[in-house]
Amino acid sequence: MKYIILLIISITFSSCKTPEARKPESVQSGSFYKESAARSKKLNAKESGKIEAIMSQNPEYDYVASNSGFWYRYHTKVEIDTTTASFGDVIDFNYNVKDLDGNTIYSEEELGAQQYVMDKQEIFTGLREGLKLMKPTETVTFLFPSQKAYGYYGDKNRIGTNIPLIVKVTVNNITQKTSN
């Protein structure tokens, strides 16, 4: 009986041990982020080189470098009208999408006329920024590096991972947002 009581007391005291902090299994050094940044810089340099080669092969066109990291040229430029899209405006436009080799990914006929509410709907970054530069009846060809196009994920259909794009856009109309 004494042994049973001693056993119960020892189990009781040994089970009341305070919890100890666990040590981490691995230490993050930030090397993943450094390697990722290095890969992105290398990819951007490679894509920029391809885009610059396209521009140099077409010296008859005046390409403009945007502040956002893509290039563009005008087919039709409107000098008089100063209407550009702002937040909430509806843009009616047509466009096509090609890779840097000129292979059509999505044709204008296939995509049809598009309506986009500025900054309220999803559209890839480069096209959204490009539409902000355009006026009604203008036609512009944009050269987008992959980070301004669909980036790492692609469009989950025909545009794969890290594909730079050539996009020709015609803005048909811009309907200004009406105030309530």
Side-chain angles (χ1 to χ4, degrees), residues 29-43:
S29 66
S31 64
F32 170 79
Y33 298 110
K34 291 176 186 173
E35 290 170 7
S36 178
R39 279 192 306 271
S40 294
K41 286 179 183 178
K42 185 177 177 182
L43 177 66

Side-chain angles (χ1 to χ4, degrees), residues 14-91:
S14 66
S15 65
C16 294
K17 183 178 175 185
T18 60
E20 292 181 17
R22 296 184 301 166
K23 296 182 181 179
E25 292 180 15
S26 64
V27 178
Q28 295 291 334
S29 66
S31 64
F32 170 79
Y33 298 110
K34 291 176 186 173
E35 290 170 7
S36 178
R39 279 192 306 271
S40 294
K41 286 179 183 178
K42 185 177 177 182
L43 177 66
N44 190 30
K46 179 180 172 185
E47 291 176 0
S48 294
K50 286 182 180 179
I51 290 171
E52 288 172 10
I54 289 170
M55 291 187 293
S56 67
Q57 291 169 0
N58 299 297
E60 67 274 15
Y61 303 125
D62 293 324
Y63 284 93
V64 179
S66 75
N67 294 334
S68 301
F70 59 86
W71 295 263
Y72 61 98
R73 73 172 180 93
Y74 287 93
H75 296 271
T76 307
K77 185 171 181 164
V78 175
E79 300 289 343
I80 301 167
D81 191 4
T82 59
T83 304
T84 57
S86 58
F87 182 82
D89 293 347
V90 178
I91 303 172

Side-chain angles (χ1 to χ4, degrees), residues 61-63 72-78 96 98 134 137-143 166-170:
Y61 303 125
D62 293 324
Y63 284 93
Y72 61 98
R73 73 172 180 93
Y74 287 93
H75 296 271
T76 307
K77 185 171 181 164
V78 175
N96 67 32
K98 297 180 180 181
M134 296 179 69
T137 70
E138 284 187 330
T139 301
V140 175
T141 293
F142 295 98
L143 302 173
I166 299 172
V167 180
K168 185 176 179 182
V169 181
T170 300

Side-chain angles (χ1 to χ4, degrees), residues 86-149:
S86 58
F87 182 82
D89 293 347
V90 178
I91 303 172
D92 294 310
F93 67 99
N94 294 74
Y95 72 114
N96 67 32
V97 180
K98 297 180 180 181
D99 63 18
L100 291 187
D101 294 325
N103 302 314
T104 300
I105 299 172
Y106 294 108
S107 70
E108 187 174 329
E109 294 77 25
E110 181 181 4
L111 294 170
Q114 302 285 314
Q115 278 198 338
Y116 171 67
V117 180
M118 184 56 71
D119 295 329
K120 288 189 171 185
Q121 289 178 290
E122 289 294 319
I123 197 168
F124 71 89
T125 305
L127 186 54
R128 180 180 63 241
E129 293 170 358
L131 287 170
K132 288 179 183 179
L133 300 172
M134 296 179 69
K135 300 171 188 170
T137 70
E138 284 187 330
T139 301
V140 175
T141 293
F142 295 98
L143 302 173
F144 296 121
S146 64
Q147 75 267 13
K148 288 294 177 182

